[in-house]
Amino acid sequence: MPKQTFLQLPEGKQRALIDAAKKEFSRVPLHEASIANIIKDAGIPRGSFYQYFEDKEDLYYYLLNQLSQENNKKITAMLKEKNGDLLGTLEDAFRHMISLRHDPEHGELLNHAFRNMNYRKENTMANSMYKESLKNERSQTLELVDTSYLNIKDKQELLHIIKIVGAITFHNLVQVFVHDLTEEEAIANYTTQIDLIKRGLHRNEDM
Amino acid sequence: MPKQTFLQLPEGKQRALIDAAKKEFSRVPLHEASIANIIKDAGIPRGSFYQYFEDKEDLYYYLLNQLSQENNKKITAMLKEKNGDLLGTLEDAFRHMISLRHDPEHGELLNHAFRNMNYRKENTMANSMYKESLKNERSQTLELVDTSYLNIKDKQELLHIIKIVGAITFHNLVQVFVHDLTEEEAIANYTTQIDLIKRGLHRNEDM
DNA sequence: ATTGACTTATGACACTGTGTCACATTATAA
DNA sequence: TTATAATGTGACACAGTGTCATAAGTCAAT
């Protein structure tokens, strides 16, 4: 999380640093990115960088969180659009997310992010780390879900369903970015898998 | 993948290096581990290390792959034991995997691995990278699965089911290691989720 | 036994990049 | 105006990597 000092900086200086950071994190994945490049490009001295952020990760996750927030809003809107039909929203949401890889502004950054996905990135993208009202946010989105579509007996199981679809969605996203799947392949795989879990993996005796 | 030179080394020298590596990778996660520590502990000069391995990652993934192979054998055995009941094997397999975190030999290494899980590690643990006969191996395990338990129409869907349960299982494993869940919590979560996908997430109209 | 060709061993070194700290500058308020 | 706090700055110490010239070992052919 950026330090107070950074947030009080004049707009232009913030922008310069953020832009330089985006550029560097688009060039190479996080672990190869160098602070030296970022500050050179932003035109600020090394010492200043450490006034603003703890370290490279701090800056990176701040950025990633911001991107994710915009994105989460879009997906929440889709869910609302579909009147809380969670499973029905998934394909559209997935399609939207894979379309981001060709976004000129953040495509490369996301490419690197997904090719080097780890728990912290996944968590940052899924939730909204720096937001205090995490639990409130969560439950607001939760409230949108119409549970009458779902084969569950309580609220607790809804949380598990979200974890399930989250895990599968992320897994598929990583596949897309790592193996450069075409949009058709990606969506075919994803919908097959979502269909499977919708109807259930286990064969009923009476079928 | 280790270089030829390493594999031709006398048993004792290999052991020393492997043991030192295990020690270092148990101390800290991969990105914090240092070659300097490993070679100091193993008593070999820096130059030699680079005769044997490309770099730190090369050594790390060699090690991780070896651990995973043992493990995969155990799980394949479980599946055979249960006569190919894939879904029925999952809970036992999961239980077995989380028990590993208290293994004195590799527990800490696995802790770091899961807390910093990424695509490559997941892939290394799931498959067996260095094995030439990857496809054969896979299909051998595939053949073990009794598809009559499963709600699928073709072989292709079996592959998707494996991806689904793989994604969910890994996701749960990461949760266990990151949040230090108790065995009971971990298994409760996991079985709930597996039950949900077994019976299907979507509510049937006629229910 | 000696030679030559090849393989393996070695550690000093150049290089890259990080985070810190003493000091300089600027802002704020009394 | 002056004291105090906040921010800016870049030289520097430090940690770690991968390479390379050179040394040492192996072994087959003479």
Side-chain angles (χ1 to χ4, degrees), chain A residues 75-87:
Chain A
I75 291 175
T76 305
M78 289 182 187
L79 182 59
K80 212 173 285 181
E81 187 94 6
K82 294 239 179 191
N83 299 311
D85 180 3
L86 178 66
L87 299 176

Side-chain angles (χ1 to χ4, degrees), chain A residues 41 69 94 104 106-107 111 131 151 202:
Chain A
D41 195 56
Q69 285 198 338
F94 185 75
H106 303 120
N111 257 284
K131 218 180 248 174
N151 187 18
H202 202 271

Side-chain angles (χ1 to χ4, degrees), chain A residues 85-134:
Chain A
D85 180 3
L86 178 66
L87 299 176
T89 306
L90 289 177
E91 192 185 314
D92 284 352
F94 185 75
R95 190 174 257 119
H96 171 249
M97 285 185 282
I98 62 175
S99 78
L100 293 174
R101 75 191 145 148
H102 300 123
D103 175 55
E105 176 83 355
H106 303 120
E108 281 311 309
L109 195 155
L110 287 176
N111 257 284
H112 293 305
F114 274 104
R115 283 169 197 266
N116 299 278
M117 186 52 61
N118 61 17
Y119 174 74
R120 188 171 172 197
K121 292 200 189 92
E122 183 169 333
N123 218 42
T124 302
M125 297 180 83
N127 301 312
S128 302
M129 259 194 163
Y130 297 121
K131 218 180 248 174
E132 308 98 66
S133 54
L134 177 61

